[in-house]
Amino acid sequence: MARPKKSAVETAKKEEVKKQETVATVEAEEVKAESPAAPTFTEEQVKAMIAEAVAKATAEATAALKAQQAPQIVQITADTEKVHFLWQAEVSPENVYEIGPNGMYGRIVGKTGSFYVPKSDLSRVMDSMFRYCLEKRWIIAVDGLTDEEREAYGVNYREGEILDKRGFAKMVELGNDILDIYPKLCAGHREMVAKRYHEAYQEKSMYVTREIVVALNDMSKKFGSKDGDFADIIDAMNAADLNH
């Protein structure tokens, strides 16, 4: 049998390759037809999706921040040996004082408050600020310490050196009674009385009289104040009298 010519063989190969290419093209088109078309969005839809994503991220970030800022409050059981403290300080009504790291034993807002600390955890609250407040008698150890512990912490108070709750709340309203209380007070509480009287005078309180202020000023000189802690109130009173 005669061999096919070379041109015929080449022709057959070309036809086979073309046939395979055709099959591959058809299969690719079928796959493309079966694949879902990529979704398209309008500009408004894209903006809405971005806004939703931003709002969600913002809400999650805010929640995480609040969780970090929230104080860890320690629950103290009834049988835990604890120390009772009283906060009395002539500070702003909006002042916030946190007890312990991140306020884990509570927080005091304003001038007065009360809190408890387990005796075994006292070292966790005794930072420099806490010790300063103890020294100034802004923080008062009410109960829970032995005499030896009071001596160690410097809270073995002398009789009359700290204002009780009524005295602290009504310093100015006590009238002449403050003249019996003031000389016995510690330095920190004498400072509180002076500050309260200054504020009361600015507010034109009827309880701030010249007689009481002069007497308090004379007493304050005996504790080392050169001109007296109430001298500027007296000066203001004198100036007011001249203007009238």
Side-chain angles (χ1 to χ4, degrees):
M1 179 180 296
R3 291 185 178 181
K5 295 180 179 181
K6 185 176 181 180
S7 59
V9 172
E10 291 177 352
T11 300
K13 287 182 178 181
K14 289 180 180 180
E15 291 179 352
E16 181 64 24
V17 169
K18 185 177 181 180
K19 181 179 179 181
Q20 291 177 356
E21 289 176 349
T22 302
V23 172
T25 300
V26 172
E27 290 178 348
E29 291 178 351
E30 290 177 351
V31 170
K32 183 178 180 181
E34 293 176 356
S35 301
T40 58
F41 301 97
T42 64
E43 184 178 353
E44 289 74 14
Q45 289 175 320
V46 171
K47 289 181 179 179
M49 287 188 289
I50 293 174
E52 182 181 357
V54 170
K56 182 179 180 181
T58 302
E60 291 175 350
T62 301
L65 181 60
K66 287 182 178 180
Q68 292 176 357
Q69 294 177 340
Q72 177 189 2
I73 306 299
V74 176
Q75 298 296 328
I76 305 175
T77 60
D79 58 347
T80 300
E81 191 175 12
K82 50 190 176 292
V83 182
H84 178 199
F85 291 100
L86 177 65
W87 167 267
Q88 289 186 165
E90 198 58 23
V91 294
S92 165
E94 290 78 33
N95 181 76
V96 177
Y97 179 70
E98 294 185 339
I99 299 93
N102 299 316
M104 65 186 303
Y105 297 104
R107 58 176 57 182
I108 303 296
V109 179
K111 299 176 183 290
T112 62
S114 185
F115 60 94
Y116 295 83
V117 178
K119 183 180 288 190
S120 58
D121 289 354
L122 282 178
S123 61
R124 304 187 69 175
V125 302
M126 288 288 178
D127 56 16
S128 58
M129 177 57 71
F130 195 94
R131 289 183 180 277
Y132 174 81
C133 292
L134 280 180
E135 181 181 349
K136 300 289 284 187
R137 304 311 196 222
W138 294 0
I139 294 178
I140 301 166
V142 178
D143 194 20
L145 295 175
T146 65
D147 292 341
E148 291 77 12
E149 289 167 336
R150 284 184 173 277
E151 184 72 28
Y153 289 117
V155 294
N156 49 338
Y157 311 119
R158 302 186 313 274
E159 183 178 357
E161 77 163 287
I162 58 177
L163 291 160
D164 58 21
K165 287 185 177 182
R166 177 178 176 274
F168 181 82
K170 303 291 183 181
M171 288 183 210
V172 178
E173 291 83 350
L174 288 174
N176 288 323
D177 289 345
I178 193 66
L179 301 179
D180 295 324
I181 296 172
Y182 181 84
K184 301 175 185 177
L185 295 176
C186 65
H189 281 226
R190 291 197 304 271
E191 290 174 9
M192 291 184 190
V193 173
K195 185 173 182 180
R196 184 76 64 86
Y197 263 80
H198 281 81
E199 292 177 353
Y201 178 74
Q202 293 296 326
E203 295 169 358
K204 303 184 185 306
S205 171
M206 60 180 291
Y207 295 100
V208 182
T209 66
R210 178 182 290 272
E211 178 186 3
I212 294 176
V213 171
V214 170
L216 288 172
N217 197 60
D218 289 340
M219 291 179 187
S220 68
K221 291 179 182 179
K222 297 177 181 179
F223 292 104
S225 179
K226 181 179 178 181
D227 297 322
D229 292 336
F230 304 81
D232 50 347
I233 300 179
I234 298 173
D235 291 342
M237 288 179 170
N238 293 337
D241 289 344
L242 289 176
N243 292 331
H244 285 84

